[in-house]
Amino acid sequence: MTTTLGGALAELQRALEGRSLALGAVRDGAVARVPEAEQMAADALAKTAAEAERDRALRAAAAAEREREQAIEAKRVAERMARDAEAERERQVNAAWTRVVEHEAAESKAAQQTTAATRALAQREEEWQRAEQLQ
């Protein structure tokens, strides 16, 4: 029985040593892979950060595009307002010139009427003087 027990113990010890060696190999393999796993984790974090940065850049680019479109529209509105203001100014200038021309025409007519009245007065004066001479 001792031989059987001794053989069984020896067999068990060999199995345990084999397991211990296998566990050591697994442990050594796991320990050896820790730097690789750490590098993979760091790479994953860097990739996540890069993707987040890319997403921020895309959002910023979209916002910049919206601002550019708003600026273009604001420029169009400003140009339209400037054209409208220029047209209104032109209309006012034309209206002012029309009033100037009308005023000058009225002055000319008034001057003609004054001249005519002065002539008529002078003619009446002459007629009065002739009438007095004839009397």
Side-chain angles (χ1 to χ4, degrees):
M1 206 155 154
T2 3
T3 0
T4 327
L5 184 57
L9 284 175
E11 183 69 28
L12 180 61
Q13 185 176 3
R14 278 192 302 276
L16 287 174
E17 284 176 0
R19 297 276 177 161
S20 178
L21 288 175
L23 284 173
V26 167
R27 185 195 70 233
D28 291 345
V31 167
R33 296 196 62 193
V34 165
E36 181 183 344
E38 288 174 343
Q39 183 61 47
M40 289 173 65
D43 291 347
L45 285 174
K47 182 179 177 186
T48 300
E51 288 173 350
E53 184 61 31
R54 182 203 66 212
D55 291 345
R56 279 191 296 277
L58 289 173
R59 284 191 301 274
E65 178 62 20
R66 284 190 302 275
E67 288 177 10
R68 185 187 72 82
E69 289 171 0
Q70 290 172 348
I72 288 170
E73 182 58 27
K75 178 184 173 198
R76 285 184 193 135
V77 168
E79 288 171 345
R80 189 172 33 250
M81 289 174 68
R83 283 191 306 271
D84 291 349
E86 179 62 24
E88 177 61 18
R89 188 197 61 79
E90 187 70 28
R91 186 194 65 73
Q92 290 176 353
V93 166
N94 288 338
W97 277 115
T98 300
R99 287 191 301 274
V100 167
V101 168
E102 289 170 352
H103 180 70
E104 287 176 351
E107 282 181 342
S108 176
K109 185 176 179 180
Q112 289 172 358
Q113 289 173 347
T114 301
T115 302
T118 303
R119 283 186 190 149
L121 186 58
Q123 188 177 6
R124 281 189 209 152
E125 184 71 34
E126 286 177 22
E127 288 173 3
W128 277 99
Q129 285 178 2
R130 272 192 231 146
E132 280 183 7
Q133 288 175 355
L134 289 175
Q135 282 184 351

